[in-house]
């Protein structure tokens, strides 16, 4: 059933706040339920042989949210990193974090580094958490590295530049899934998803199931990817 599995899938996990509001619950309850949903999706991605699954968990713009919401998101993240990573490790799943990670609390940074080290060389899927992440910011940080390395204009091409992005070593994004009905990228993987297929669904992230994830993959498999060329 699953020929032509995308090598890299990005997910904009949106709609936690609205899920909670619809039930008269505080937004943080939506984030909790949302965090619980990721496990199923990660397992499904691993089972069908996806190489990289990048989950947009916290954007640079999300720093503007009320302090208590940011605090509870960081708290959830710490719990997630402590309890879930161990399980993922046992299943052979790897972990990486991308984004402007220096802005995160010091204890979160330590946990992220530990999780990356513990799972380095895992044979299965790599889960990439985009945290304090913005696509424009990632590109600017890469340009800064170009300057720091003293590279000359003729040294720069797409192959050298991709190695300066946070996603170095990962294939380009084949498919971006966004839940909650919004149809925008919100600064997610701007470079990497340049030729990605886009899949939008009205389902709110806490309601997003493994079945719908597999449906999105099948939808992707029916797309004709031309990359600007003409099909023979
Ligand atoms: C996505 O859900 C999770 C984060 C951005 C951290 P939201 O919190 O954006 O939920 P809505 O869009 O307000 O419903
Ligand atoms: C994008 O969702 C960021 C994440 C899902 C982490 P937002 O809810 O922050 O984006 P906008 O405000 O709808 O663009
Ligand atoms: Mg949102």
């Amino acid at each position: 059933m699953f020929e032509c599995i995308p090598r890299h899938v990005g997910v904009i996990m949106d709609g936690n706040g609205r899920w909670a509001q619809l039930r008269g619950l505080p937004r943080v309850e939506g984030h909790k339920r949302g965090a619980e949903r990721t496990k199923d999706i990660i397992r499904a991605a691993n089972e069908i042989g996806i190489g990289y699954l990048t989950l947009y968990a916290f954007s640079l713009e999300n720093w503007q949210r009320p302090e208590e919401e940011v605090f509870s998101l960081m708290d959830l993240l710490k719990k997630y990193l402590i309890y879930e990573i161990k399980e993922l490790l046992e299943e052979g799943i790897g972990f990486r974090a991308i984004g402007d990670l220096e802005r995160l609390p010091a204890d979160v940074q330590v946990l992220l580094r530990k999780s990356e080290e513990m799972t380095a060389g895992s044979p299965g899927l790599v889960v990439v958490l985009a945290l304090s992440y913005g696509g424009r910011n990632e590109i600017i940080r890469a340009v800064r590295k170009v300057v720091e390395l003293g590279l000359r204009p003729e040294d720069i091409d797409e192959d050298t530049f991709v190695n300066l992005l946070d996603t170095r070593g990962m294939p380009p994004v084949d498919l971006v899934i966004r839940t909650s009905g919004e149809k925008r990228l919100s600064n997610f993987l701007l470079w990497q998803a340049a030729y990605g297929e886009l899949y939008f669904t009205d389902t709110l992230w806490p309601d997003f199931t493994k079945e719908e994830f597999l449906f999105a993959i099948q939808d992707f498999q029916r797309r004709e990817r031309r990359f600007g060329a003409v099909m023979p």
Side-chain angles (χ1 to χ4, degrees):
M1 180 166 101
F2 289 113
E3 329 86 55
C4 184
I5 293 297
R7 288 191 298 165
H8 189 168
V9 177
V11 187
I12 304 174
M13 309 183 291
D14 198 15
N16 294 347
R18 277 164 283 171
W19 183 92
Q21 271 157 4
L22 279 169
R23 287 159 180 79
L25 298 167
R27 291 177 59 85
V28 60
E29 286 306 315
H31 294 312
K32 279 188 196 152
R33 281 295 284 262
E36 286 164 18
R37 285 278 79 230
T38 56
K39 236 204 262 186
D40 264 12
I41 306 305
I42 291 171
R43 291 226 166 89
N46 192 36
E47 272 164 28
I48 65 170
I50 289 171
Y52 294 85
L53 180 72
T54 300
L55 301 173
Y56 203 7
F58 190 81
S59 74
L60 265 183
E61 289 76 18
N62 291 152
W63 285 115
Q64 302 167 59
R65 293 192 178 191
E67 212 176 311
E68 68 266 23
E69 182 168 345
V70 172
F71 183 84
S72 47
L73 281 166
M74 292 300 143
D75 199 45
L76 258 179
L77 180 65
K78 276 186 267 183
K79 286 185 184 131
Y80 183 85
L81 289 170
I82 293 167
Y83 299 111
E84 310 290 341
I85 291 291
K86 271 196 210 125
E87 272 189 47
L88 298 182
L89 190 64
E90 282 159 20
E91 292 171 35
I93 296 172
F95 175 82
R96 265 174 75 175
I98 60 169
D100 203 348
L101 304 177
E102 284 168 16
R103 285 189 62 171
L104 293 165
D107 52 352
V108 172
Q109 290 186 45
V110 171
L111 279 172
L112 290 174
R113 254 178 264 130
K114 257 178 49 188
S115 307
E116 286 185 331
E117 284 164 18
M118 276 164 69
T119 64
S122 288
L125 169 79
V126 176
V127 173
V128 185
L129 267 197
L131 288 170
S132 185
Y133 177 87
R136 289 179 185 171
N137 167 272
E138 181 191 26
I139 292 168
I140 294 289
R141 285 186 288 106
V143 172
R144 287 197 181 140
K145 287 178 209 157
V146 168
V147 177
E148 277 163 16
L149 293 166
L151 295 174
R152 295 164 304 169
E154 57 272 30
D155 296 330
I156 306 295
D157 57 20
E158 290 189 12
D159 292 336
T160 49
F161 196 74
V162 289
N163 283 320
L164 301 173
L165 294 170
D166 295 348
T167 50
R168 69 193 134 285
M170 301 181 202
V173 173
D174 296 308
L175 170 67
V176 176
I177 298 171
R178 182 170 190 151
T179 58
S180 90
E182 311 298 355
K183 295 183 181 68
R184 52 176 170 262
L185 285 177
S186 299
N187 208 3
F188 185 51
L189 299 176
L190 296 182
W191 176 288
Q192 298 84 345
Y195 246 109
E197 298 293 325
L198 307 177
Y199 178 91
F200 299 108
T201 170
D202 287 340
T203 305
L204 303 174
W205 178 253
D207 292 328
F208 191 72
T209 58
K210 172 183 175 171
E211 287 67 35
E212 194 172 357
F213 179 71
L214 295 178
F215 181 83
I217 302 296
Q218 285 173 316
D219 185 85
F220 164 83
Q221 290 173 325
R222 288 191 292 270
R223 310 261 181 113
E224 186 183 73
R225 303 185 80 193
R226 289 189 289 273
F227 299 99
V230 177
M231 280 324 203

